[in-house]
């Protein structure tokens, strides 16, 4: 049964960008006496549901944290199973993405991915590039610290090559060198599975994001859970350092 958008959800005050740490697949599987990969397989169903919900609501950007730099240190079997699943799923979903006018983006250190994965991803990116609806950003082999180090290196190179003077470096310069330079900062960050941390996700971009944590594990997270998060978000007062009366 598909969840209905709650009438109390104000369609004019939705975030432009939602970022999600999809966590809890392994524990969800373990609770069912299954292998961790079983949880990852079921997590794909949640991805489909949430991407569809975001597109239906007219959200412009959805970033999903699928695999962190640190996740490479998991047991080899889980890493290869997960990599295979992520890449084949992305590739298989291209027709649905196109049907729904969804453009795929990937952020992260793709050079760490096996060749087959890099090729499949490249194809999926090209095939959805003309789409103008939801921008679906997959964070793959991504970490905030990796991204910041990359940005600093690129800025330093620009200074060395005299394309930039150090006195011209501003917050905007750093922003322009992030892998998310083309996207606005997320207004809402959701993390599932009852973990209350950022785990190296979008460290710069989340500066003023509203954070929403739920005990629900990712394979159980569906449209209704997203609507709950959005209703909660709409109750928040975003002050950006100012006081209430100034807003
Ligand atoms: C999130 O679920 C998916 C990835 C990190 C790839 P986990 O695999 O972290 O599941 P838990 O947190 O161990 O339950
Ligand atoms: C964060 O989850 C990364 C992803 C969801 C892809 P982890 O499960 O890796 O994070 P920690 O280890 O619990 O902080
Ligand atoms: Mg986890």
């Amino acid at each position: 049964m598909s969840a209905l958008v709650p009438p109390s959800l104000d369609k004019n005050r939705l975030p432009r960008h939602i970022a999600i740490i999809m966590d809890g697949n392994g524990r969800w599987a373990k609770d069912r006496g299954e292998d961790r990969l079983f949880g990852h397989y079921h997590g794909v169903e949640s991805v489909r549901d949430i991407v569809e919900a975001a597109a239906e609501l007219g959200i412009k950007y959805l970033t999903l944290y699928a695999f962190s730099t640190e996740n490479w240190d998991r047991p080899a079997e889980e890493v290869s199973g997960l990599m295979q699943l992520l890449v084949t799923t992305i590739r298989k979903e291209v027709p649905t993405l196109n049907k729904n006018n969804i453009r795929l983006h990937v952020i992260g250190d793709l050079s760490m991915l096996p060749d087959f994965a890099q090729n499949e991803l490249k194809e999926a990116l090209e095939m959805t590039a003309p789409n103008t609806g939801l921008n679906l950003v997959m964070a793959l082999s991504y970490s905030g610290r990796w991204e910041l180090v990359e940005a600093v290196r690129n800025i330093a190179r620009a200074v060395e090559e005299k394309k930039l003077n150090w006195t011209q470096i501003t917050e905007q310069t750093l922003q322009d060198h992030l892998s998310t330079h083309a996207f606005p900062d997320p207004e809402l960050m959701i993390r599932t599975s009852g973990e209350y941390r950022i785990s190296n996700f979008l460290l710069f971009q989340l500066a003023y994001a509203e954070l929403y944590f739920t005990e629900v594990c990712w394979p159980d997270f569906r449209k209704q859970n997203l609507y709950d998060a959005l209703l909660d978000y709409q109750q928040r007062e975003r002050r950006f350092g100012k006081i209430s009366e100034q807003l």
Side-chain angles (χ1 to χ4, degrees):
M1 194 185 69
S2 194
L4 292 176
V5 179
S8 52
L9 190 68
D10 183 349
K11 289 282 201 75
N12 298 313
R13 286 179 50 241
L14 291 171
R16 265 199 306 166
H17 187 172
I18 302 173
I20 306 182
I21 302 179
M22 311 185 285
D23 197 17
N25 295 353
R27 279 164 287 158
W28 184 90
K30 208 174 150 196
D31 283 349
R32 286 157 181 77
E34 299 281 352
D35 187 74
R36 293 180 58 83
L37 275 174
F38 179 79
H40 297 315
Y41 279 101
H42 281 268
V44 172
E45 288 303 315
S46 303
V47 172
R48 283 200 191 97
D49 207 51
I50 296 310
V51 169
E52 190 178 278
E56 285 166 358
L57 288 169
I59 304 284
K60 281 308 285 182
Y61 301 88
L62 175 67
T63 298
L64 301 178
Y65 201 8
F67 195 87
S68 75
T69 307
E70 287 75 22
N71 289 150
W72 288 112
D73 295 330
R74 289 192 178 190
E77 195 184 87
E78 180 172 348
V79 171
S80 64
L82 198 48
M83 207 38 69
Q84 188 78 41
L85 174 68
L86 282 167
V87 174
T88 51
T89 304
I90 289 174
R91 190 63 184 77
K92 261 208 328 245
E93 289 298 312
V94 165
T96 312
L97 296 176
N98 282 340
K99 199 181 96 207
N100 295 314
N101 198 22
I102 299 169
R103 178 171 181 184
L104 181 73
H105 305 263
V106 185
I107 56 171
D109 185 2
L110 298 187
S111 71
M112 300 272 289
L113 298 181
D115 283 347
F116 87 91
Q118 292 189 32
N119 295 336
E120 299 263 291
L121 280 176
K122 204 168 147 255
E123 256 183 59
L125 293 174
E126 281 165 10
M127 291 169 82
T128 65
N131 297 338
T132 56
L134 172 69
N135 288 282
L136 173 62
V137 185
M138 296 298 294
L140 251 184
S141 186
Y142 171 89
S143 77
R145 288 185 175 181
W146 164 80
E147 178 181 51
L148 287 168
V149 170
E150 282 300 300
V152 170
R153 288 164 64 110
N154 288 325
I155 292 169
R157 193 171 55 202
V159 172
E160 189 178 76
E161 290 171 354
K162 308 249 187 289
K163 290 179 182 146
L164 185 67
N165 188 291
W166 70 269
T167 56
Q168 297 168 313
I169 298 174
T170 61
E171 207 173 291
Q172 190 61 46
T173 317
L174 192 47
Q175 179 114 336
D176 291 343
H177 285 81
L178 297 175
S179 51
T180 54
H181 60 87
F183 319 132
D185 287 344
E187 293 96 334
L188 173 64
M189 194 286 283
I190 299 171
R191 182 169 189 154
T192 59
S193 86
E195 301 294 355
Y196 295 78
R197 54 178 174 264
I198 304 285
S199 300
N200 221 342
F201 189 40
L202 302 174
L203 295 177
F204 185 89
Q205 300 88 333
L206 292 177
Y208 267 104
E210 296 301 325
L211 307 181
Y212 178 87
F213 297 96
T214 169
E215 296 294 317
V216 175
C217 282
W218 180 252
D220 284 333
F221 194 89
R222 290 301 144 94
K223 287 184 184 180
Q224 187 57 55
N225 304 96
L226 180 70
Y227 302 150
D228 290 345
L230 288 167
L231 286 170
D232 191 287
Y233 166 81
Q234 293 190 337
Q235 300 302 312
R236 314 274 182 102
E237 182 180 69
R238 306 189 71 211
R239 289 190 290 277
F240 300 97
K242 298 194 173 103
I243 66 168
S244 225
E245 290 72 17
Q246 288 176 291
L247 302 175

